[in-house]
Amino acid sequence: MTYEFILFEKIQKVGVITLNRPQALNALCEGLIRELTAALDVCEADPDIHCMVLTGSEKAFAAGADIKEMQSKTYRESYMEDFISKWERIDRCRKPIIAAVSGFALGGGCEMAMMCDFIIASDTAKFGQPEVTIGTIPGSGGTQRLTRVVGKSKAMEMCLTGRMMDAEEAEQAGLVSRVVAVAELREEALKTAHKIASFSLPIVMMIKESIGAAFEMPLSEGVKFERRLFYSTFALDDQKEGMAAFLEKRPPVFKGK
Ligand code: CAA
């Protein structure tokens, strides 16, 4: 498949998707979402890809949903098409996906970064939910995910005023896992992805699934869910290999089995 709005590369065991619509600061038009979905389908189906990185340009990760495309939509059209549901492919990924954010991550761009498993930000990153300034509200989980991550007070202030959060504040608030120099963002994200990809794929997927459950379940159920997955790792060759390698003081050779 050829892509118009994204770049898609496979670097060893990592699928790297770069949003590439510079003239619109990577605004998330329908074509871009279609291509992103297709690339994620490829990554999920390819047994040699263990981890994904989603990134944008230095100036913008993504400046939100495409306002030109949305402006004239009627309520009926948007409700019947349910166009935002097409963005949920990221949320359905079972393999880990890292957002590497530089520049603007606004509206749907911030929401898309939050759908990823964690965010590595450049020191120039700016996060915000400016929908209030254009007469609408966040529509792809902004009021929900941002609130869970940064708490009520900051989420309220950001969504009610459209104020942007810089990288330093985002790190302090727990929105991003790490801030790196802008020139090092891609390399750092790739290094992190390669590290994850070096482990057993089913184990990595179970960790992702278990942390995801923390947002959906009460603590007592979440702990039980985790324990069942933990016991199930004993059915994998990789658990036997990982623990044997530790005891034999040698690096493990994981086979994903
Ligand atoms: N949709 C469509 N086009 C966009 C866009 C968007 N979200 N954001 C930027 N662009 C376009 C601009 O229209 C402009 O195009 P032209 O050159 O053809 O005029 C181009 O990208 C460059 O943008 P600016 O000239 O505005 O660049 P700037 O550096 O002066 O400002 C900015 C950058 C502050 C990010 C500004 O572009 C901006 O405020 N963008 C809109 C941000 C926004 O409101 N996002 C929320 C969208 S709604 C949403 O996402 C809903 C949801 O939750 C699902």
Side-chain angles (χ1 to χ4, degrees):
M1 173 164 178
T2 52
Y3 298 100
E4 183 184 349
F5 302 113
I6 66 165
L7 305 172
F8 179 37
E9 307 154 82
K10 184 171 159 182
I11 305 177
Q12 296 160 41
K13 292 178 177 175
V14 178
V16 181
I17 300 168
T18 306
L19 305 179
N20 185 34
R21 206 187 160 212
Q23 71 285 6
L25 301 182
N26 294 334
L28 303 162
C29 63
E30 268 181 43
L32 186 152
I33 297 294
R34 204 169 29 247
E35 291 181 7
L36 175 60
T37 301
L40 289 173
D41 285 343
V42 170
C43 292
E44 288 274 282
D46 184 339
D48 293 331
I49 292 182
H50 286 202
C51 186
M52 288 81 86
V53 171
L54 178 63
T55 193
S57 68
E58 199 172 307
K59 177 153 188 203
F61 176 75
D66 190 310
I67 299 168
K68 281 180 203 145
E69 255 181 23
M70 280 188 303
Q71 193 270 336
S72 59
K73 273 190 199 295
T74 63
Y75 166 71
R76 186 182 186 283
E77 277 164 2
S78 55
Y79 181 79
M80 296 307 282
E81 287 168 21
D82 193 13
F83 65 101
I84 295 294
S85 66
K86 298 184 181 121
W87 299 27
E88 287 166 4
R89 182 67 187 90
I90 297 181
D91 206 29
R92 289 202 319 277
C93 283
R94 296 184 70 212
K95 295 176 183 173
I97 175 162
I98 305 170
V101 173
S102 178
F104 297 111
L106 302 179
C110 185
E111 292 168 311
M112 192 169 263
M114 289 191 289
M115 277 184 218
C116 296
D117 296 310
F118 60 95
I119 303 173
I120 300 179
S122 84
D123 48 12
T124 64
K126 287 192 172 64
F127 299 87
Q129 297 291 160
E131 289 86 348
V132 69
T133 68
I134 56 165
T136 186
I137 76 167
S140 190
T143 61
Q144 304 304 300
R145 289 195 180 88
L146 190 66
T147 308
R148 280 167 173 74
V149 174
V150 305
K152 177 184 161 191
S153 199
K154 262 190 200 295
M156 281 282 187
E157 191 205 342
M158 285 175 69
C159 293
L160 289 173
T161 67
R163 178 176 79 81
M164 291 185 213
M165 203 188 255
D166 67 16
E168 193 187 343
E169 185 182 357
E171 188 181 26
Q172 277 165 11
L175 179 59
V176 310
S177 68
R178 218 142 48 84
V179 179
V180 300
V182 62
E184 285 158 24
L185 177 67
R186 189 182 152 91
E187 267 327 292
E188 277 300 320
L190 267 173
K191 210 161 85 185
T192 308
H194 287 313
K195 178 85 184 167
I196 294 168
S198 72
F199 298 122
S200 164
L201 180 58
I203 292 292
V204 158
M205 289 171 64
M206 284 183 201
I207 291 170
K208 167 166 172 156
E209 191 180 354
S210 196
I211 293 179
F215 292 92
E216 308 291 344
M217 290 180 185
L219 180 62
S220 56
E221 287 304 314
V223 167
K224 276 191 223 156
F225 181 83
E226 177 197 80
R227 193 166 308 149
R228 280 192 290 268
L229 277 180
F230 170 68
Y231 292 147
S232 75
T233 68
F234 291 79
L236 291 172
D237 293 348
D238 284 344
Q239 173 270 328
K240 299 287 172 285
E241 166 62 9
M243 293 193 186
F246 175 81
L247 295 172
E248 291 160 20
K249 301 189 187 306
R250 61 170 175 84
V253 182
F254 293 124
K255 298 206 170 101
K257 290 183 180 160

